[in-house]
Amino acid sequence: MLQGSYCHFLLQTCRNLKQLKQIHAQALTQGLHHLQNLSCKIFNTYTKFNKPIEAYNVFNQIQNPDIISWTCLISLHLNTERPFQALLVFSKLCSLGLKPDSFSVVGALAGCGRSESLGHGKAVHGMIYRHGLVDSGAIVGNALIDMYSRNGEIKVAQMVFREMGIKDVVTWTSLIHGFVKCDDLNSARVLFDKMPERNSVSWTALITGYVQGGKPAEALDIFQKMMSDGNDRPISVTMVAVLSGCADIGALDLGRLIHAYVNKTYLSLDVTVKNALMDMYCKSGSLESAERIFGEISTKDNFSWTTMILGFAVHGSGKRALQIFSEMLEAGAYPNEVTFVAVLSACSHAGLVDEGQKWFNCILETYHLEPKIEHYGCMVGLLGRAGLVKEAKDLIEKMKVPPDGVIWRSLLSSCIACKNLEVAALAAQKVVELEPDDDGVYVLLWNMYCSANRWDDAIKMRRMMKDRSIKKKPGRSCIQINGVVNEFLAEGKAGNFGTETQMVLERMAEVMKVDNSYLIDIEFD
């Protein structure tokens, strides 16, 4: 027969879930599960293997759980994306008279951050002072910085940072994450440059911030400095962020270099990195490379299927995109809302009206998902491209969610293509009401009135733009030259580039001036 002490030993050496279930079954058979310490140990081991149902069942059988078991239950709720439940567990252990330790308050603060419960977070902060946990090392301070940052209280997070006696690399990185979340990239960069020590997570936090902040070129520059520094190897999250930056500006050459690096490292086994590579190749127009990676993924997740479907859709291969969607369904994968956006986009780009309407109806009827604004937008675009302006307008009027400016702008573009001035005027009015500073709608209407020889209306439109101080935003493009990404604006340049490139641009301008009789010089000042 098993003894309680031997059971403890087996749990300490337990390597996998199968062994754990065998130990648990023997403990139940021999009545050892009633031993308090053993039940807590079994519960804690189930949480380690992230098996919530089994863990809950064991926890409910423990008569007087200790602080370690309560903390494990908090962690279990956090790992299963139930942060508010984690807070309720923390409240329960406090109401039972148990004294929280540094690990339990860290779990509670994580719950406050993820559920954006600032009030509860402040209460836990006060509890930390009352129980003398302020000097529990950097772990509590780091959790406070993260909690306040997630709740938008970056100044309080800075105050906690300044008051901390012990600061480790996680402390600095937590505050960088806070600045990034609050869209303060300048402060994040200043703090990063002051860091006494960095690691891969620190670099990744800054790189991700610049990508999400709409500055992918700067993000790639930081990544190249990370690689030249040589002290910290990029992790999978780093690669995902960098590849996203490459995709945003079409830096295909750099993306290929990253792909070569990935193939030489353990990162080649990470499906999220492969998905990011697929996304980068799709957005850069290299569908063959994307499909090759897609074929290499043995266990495709929803993102893998959706990325490939959307890649073919946006590049005009709607039928191939729908073929992959069919393969996805045959493989037993379950499409989500984003997948259906990709499918409807494929139908829209290929002009498959009947197919698009069929899958749009399936979103609710077959898969029990509520159509979102993006799905309606795809359908309006599909009907509009097919010249079915009236049907597109009827669909907008029947929408279960309020139409946004994108929906009405899509209808407006369709009206201009079909020269339907009556519906175009209605769509334009709606866009102006929702997005009064959008320069695109004024330009579209101006072009439409000019095409219809309605010069008085065209002049009124330009006068309206001038009265409202609305200027046409300059075009923006990027080009990679010798591994360096250069960003150009229609009214100048956004990045630095060599004199040779400048000379080529000036020469092009001279050639274009030779015969410009067919050009109309339009200023929207």
Side-chain angles (χ1 to χ4, degrees):
M1 291 182 64
L2 285 176
Q3 298 295 322
S5 58
Y6 186 56
C7 234
H8 274 284
F9 171 75
L10 291 177
L11 288 169
Q12 288 175 352
T13 59
C14 183
R15 300 291 182 184
N16 52 56
L17 183 62
K18 182 179 179 181
Q19 290 180 0
L20 173 59
K21 288 186 175 181
Q22 290 174 347
I23 298 169
H24 189 195
Q26 292 183 54
L28 288 171
T29 302
Q30 300 180 23
L32 297 176
H33 63 287
H34 291 301
L35 296 175
Q36 182 75 9
N37 292 337
L38 183 59
S39 295
C40 291
K41 185 66 177 178
I42 292 173
F43 164 73
N44 296 344
T45 311
Y46 271 122
T47 61
K48 183 178 72 173
F49 289 117
N50 198 27
K51 302 302 291 184
I53 297 176
E54 293 88 342
Y56 291 143
N57 291 336
V58 175
F59 186 84
N60 290 331
Q61 296 172 3
I62 302 174
Q63 293 182 355
N64 296 300
D66 59 12
I67 188 66
I68 296 175
S69 296
W70 283 105
T71 303
C72 286
L73 186 58
I74 292 172
S75 299
L76 188 62
H77 282 301
L78 293 174
N79 292 337
T80 52
E81 304 297 330
R82 302 173 70 189
F84 196 74
Q85 292 296 323
L87 287 179
L88 293 178
V89 172
F90 181 76
S91 176
K92 178 69 174 179
L93 76 87
C94 291
S95 66
L96 292 174
L98 290 172
K99 181 181 178 181
D101 59 9
S102 57
F103 297 103
S104 58
V105 298
V106 165
L109 289 170
C112 295
R114 297 182 194 180
S115 62
E116 297 185 352
S117 302
L118 180 60
H120 291 95
K122 289 180 177 179
V124 176
H125 193 176
M127 189 177 296
I128 289 170
Y129 281 99
R130 289 196 300 275
H131 290 282
L133 298 173
V134 177
D135 300 323
S136 300
I139 182 173
V140 174
N142 296 344
L144 281 168
I145 291 172
D146 180 70
M147 184 276 293
Y148 280 117
S149 298
R150 287 176 181 267
N151 282 281
E153 295 287 339
I154 191 64
K155 291 185 178 179
V156 182
Q158 287 178 273
M159 181 189 70
V160 174
F161 178 85
R162 288 192 296 266
E163 292 178 351
M164 287 178 62
I166 301 175
K167 298 182 180 72
D168 57 17
V169 66
V170 178
T171 312
W172 292 80
T173 305
S174 296
L175 190 56
I176 290 173
H177 272 299
F179 282 127
V180 166
K181 185 172 178 61
C182 296
D183 300 322
D184 189 353
L185 292 177
N186 291 333
S187 296
R189 184 60 187 268
V190 169
L191 186 66
F192 179 83
D193 291 338
K194 290 181 180 179
M195 288 184 73
E197 179 187 359
R198 299 178 184 132
N199 61 14
S200 298
V201 180
S202 311
W203 286 98
T204 303
L206 193 64
I207 292 169
T208 304
Y210 273 94
V211 171
Q212 294 177 349
K215 296 183 177 181
E218 290 87 337
L220 298 183
D221 180 60
I222 295 169
F223 173 71
Q224 290 174 333
K225 289 179 180 177
M226 175 186 180
M227 297 300 288
S228 63
D229 185 65
N231 293 326
D232 301 302
R233 295 179 61 185
I235 55 180
S236 59
V237 183
T238 318
M239 288 309 193
V240 171
V242 172
L243 288 168
S244 178
C246 291
D248 287 345
I249 59 178
L252 184 58
D253 290 344
L254 180 57
R256 284 175 173 152
L257 289 175
I258 294 172
H259 188 184
Y261 175 84
V262 166
N263 285 338
K264 296 178 181 178
T265 66
Y266 70 96
L267 294 169
S268 60
L269 304 175
D270 195 317
V271 67
T272 59
V273 175
K274 285 187 174 291
N275 286 341
L277 281 166
M278 282 172 48
D279 183 59
M280 183 274 297
Y281 279 124
C282 284
K283 290 179 178 176
S284 300
S286 185
L287 290 177
E288 291 183 3
S289 298
E291 195 167 16
R292 193 178 306 117
I293 296 172
F294 180 72
E296 295 172 358
I297 302 176
S298 56
T299 306
K300 299 176 178 64
D301 60 15
N302 193 284
F303 189 90
S304 308
W305 291 103
T306 301
T307 299
M308 206 66 249
I309 293 169
L310 189 59
F312 278 108
V314 298
H315 289 288
S317 300
K319 292 184 178 179
R320 176 66 180 129
L322 293 176
Q323 182 182 350
I324 294 176
F325 179 58
S326 178
E327 294 172 4
M328 175 184 181
L329 298 179
E330 291 175 3
Y334 199 83
N336 60 15
E337 291 93 339
V338 182
T339 310
F340 280 111
V341 171
V343 170
L344 294 176
S345 296
C347 295
S348 180
H349 285 87
L352 304 173
V353 177
D354 293 339
E355 191 85 1
Q357 288 179 328
K358 180 188 81 170
W359 288 117
F360 180 77
N361 294 332
C362 282
I363 294 175
L364 180 61
E365 295 173 2
T366 305
Y367 294 94
H368 309 293
L369 300 171
E370 195 67 37
K372 298 186 181 299
I373 192 78
E374 295 83 2
H375 303 118
Y376 284 106
C378 290
M379 285 304 298
V380 170
L382 170 60
L383 295 171
R385 282 192 176 97
L388 303 173
V389 173
K390 181 181 181 301
E391 288 80 353
K393 176 175 172 292
D394 292 342
L395 178 63
I396 294 175
E397 293 173 347
K398 296 176 183 177
M399 284 175 59
K400 295 182 179 180
V401 293
D404 60 5
V406 176
I407 296 285
W408 288 110
R409 197 182 295 107
S410 177
L411 181 62
L412 175 60
S413 299
S414 302
C415 292
I416 291 174
C418 298
K419 297 182 179 180
N420 189 326
L421 296 180
E422 180 181 354
V423 180
L426 170 65
Q429 180 184 350
K430 295 293 185 180
V431 176
V432 172
E433 290 175 0
L434 293 167
E435 301 175 5
D437 296 328
D438 175 36
D439 62 297
V441 63
Y442 298 96
V443 176
L444 283 172
L445 279 173
W446 187 89
N447 287 328
M448 183 182 68
Y449 287 136
C450 289
S451 299
N453 295 323
R454 292 174 55 171
W455 304 111
D456 291 340
D457 291 326
I459 293 172
K460 289 179 182 178
M461 190 56 56
R462 289 189 59 178
R463 187 177 297 120
M464 186 184 300
M465 290 182 67
K466 186 174 182 180
D467 293 341
R468 298 183 181 183
S469 300
I470 295 174
K471 292 186 177 182
K472 184 178 182 296
K473 294 183 179 67
R476 182 186 298 267
S477 63
C478 295
I479 187 172
Q480 188 173 338
I481 304 173
N482 295 327
V484 179
V485 177
N486 300 284
E487 191 174 14
F488 297 87
L489 297 176
E491 296 177 353
K493 63 180 181 180
N496 296 320
F497 46 87
T499 55
E500 184 177 350
T501 307
Q502 182 66 48
M503 291 172 62
V504 172
L505 290 172
E506 292 175 355
R507 176 58 181 157
M508 289 174 61
E510 291 175 2
V511 172
M512 291 172 68
K513 290 178 181 178
V514 172
D515 183 12
N516 62 356
S517 58
Y518 59 90
L519 297 175
I520 301 176
D521 186 19
I522 302 173
E523 294 292 339
F524 287 94
D525 295 330

